[in-house]
Amino acid sequence: MKILISADMEGATGVTWPADVLPGTPQWERCRSMFTSDVNAAVLGFHDGGADQVVINEAHWSMRNLLLERLDSRAEMLTGRHKTLSMVEGVQHGDVDGIAFVGYHTGAGTEGVLAHTYLANSITGVWVNGVRASEGLLNAHVVAEYGVPVVLVTGDDLTCVDAAGYAPDAVTVAVKDHVSRYAAVCRTPARTAADIRAAAKEAAALAVRYEPVRGGPFTVELEFDAEHLAMTATVVPGVEQCGERRVAYTSETMYEGIRAFKAVTTVVSAAVEEQYG
Ligand SMILES: [Zn+2]
């Protein structure tokens, strides 16, 4: 049994503040240790549950956050950025039986600790076929096309509620309870590691590959915090402005959909100007 862990950081133990997840800050140095603790707990739990191989795909920012030297020796880690499937890179090779979303968070424009969808502020909402989308939901559509079930999701309590929408069978662990976008009641790394390890052991039983699901076509709609960002996004072929600050495009598969999303966010990021956005 091979498990892939997609590891994002905003939903990690103890994380509630932008500097906590911003590489290079003293707070990030401290929080990456708690993030590593969460991920390692999942590695241990999946092995407890019978996994032979657990591969971690770093999925936050520059995708260089986890402390490899603190992981269980059975783990393997894909670190660094620029990957075909970004946050779920590695799921496409036909040998993954289940995927875990560790350290995930809620989507742009919704309640939740450090809620956002890819771009921290510029994107104020994403919808897939009319349904409000988090990164978890987008990635769940991608992995379904490879027949890989989402078996475990960790993050704040609202991330667990979100996961119930896109992966109703997944085991969830809330490592903190949302108070505001920048505040949460946090549980200690010792406590959350025990919770995640037990949940991952349970989740291993759900790691059974199924026939790939083609859920498309997918119409992806994005809303930005400024009109010129919507206009800028339309340089990507197939992307059309559908409102003052909104664009939409349609893809037959979410493989294409997530790659178009990457193109849009890359182009839009380049158009965000100092202070005014
Ligand atoms: Zn994220």
Side-chain angles (χ1 to χ4, degrees), residues 2-6 53-57 75-78 89:
K2 179 175 177 179
I3 301 288
L4 181 65
I5 297 176
S6 171
Q53 193 181 4
V54 182
V55 178
I56 302 144
N57 178 41
E76 290 178 305
M77 186 170 84
L78 171 50
E89 175 67 21

Side-chain angles (χ1 to χ4, degrees), residues 10-22:
E10 286 87 353
T13 296
V15 165
T16 67
W17 193 250
D20 293 349
V21 294
L22 188 62

Side-chain angles (χ1 to χ4, degrees), residues 180-195:
S180 77
R181 195 177 187 213
Y182 301 116
V185 176
C186 296
R187 290 179 266 291
T188 65
R191 162 79 187 278
T192 59
D195 290 350

Side-chain angles (χ1 to χ4, degrees), residues 97-144:
D97 299 296
I99 187 165
F101 294 166
V102 171
Y104 268 48
H105 51 83
T106 54
T110 68
E111 273 195 312
V113 177
L114 296 169
H116 69 285
T117 305
Y118 289 90
L119 303 183
N121 283 318
S122 309
I123 293 175
T124 55
V126 177
W127 293 264
V128 174
N129 292 342
V131 175
R132 179 73 89 153
S134 60
E135 291 164 16
L137 182 140
L138 289 164
N139 288 323
H141 280 305
V142 176
V143 303

Side-chain angles (χ1 to χ4, degrees), residues 88-254:
V88 291
E89 175 67 21
V91 80
Q92 67 268 46
H93 305 307
D95 60 351
V96 174
D97 299 296
I99 187 165
F101 294 166
V102 171
Y104 268 48
H105 51 83
T106 54
T110 68
E111 273 195 312
V113 177
L114 296 169
H116 69 285
T117 305
Y118 289 90
L119 303 183
N121 283 318
S122 309
I123 293 175
T124 55
V126 177
W127 293 264
V128 174
N129 292 342
V131 175
R132 179 73 89 153
S134 60
E135 291 164 16
L137 182 140
L138 289 164
N139 288 323
H141 280 305
V142 176
V143 303
E145 291 178 353
Y146 297 96
V148 176
V150 180
V151 297
L152 174 72
V153 180
T154 78
D156 70 1
D157 55 335
L158 297 181
T159 299
C160 297
V161 173
D162 183 49
Y166 63 76
D169 296 330
V171 183
T172 60
V173 178
V175 300
K176 56 199 170 190
D177 293 332
H178 164 266
V179 173
S180 77
R181 195 177 187 213
Y182 301 116
V185 176
C186 296
R187 290 179 266 291
T188 65
R191 162 79 187 278
T192 59
D195 290 350
I196 292 170
R197 183 171 183 168
K201 181 181 179 185
E202 184 187 340
L206 304 172
V208 180
R209 238 177 301 155
Y210 52 80
E211 273 301 302
V213 173
R214 287 282 175 126
F218 298 101
T219 295
V220 179
E221 199 171 345
L222 292 94
E223 183 187 75
F224 303 101
D225 68 349
E227 183 277 334
H228 80 287
L229 298 181
M231 182 267 288
T232 300
T234 62
V235 304
V236 178
V239 176
E240 291 183 359
Q241 197 157 352
C242 61
E244 199 170 31
R245 292 179 289 109
R246 283 188 184 225
V247 297
Y249 63 89
T250 299
S251 300
E252 282 307 309
T253 65
M254 193 47 87

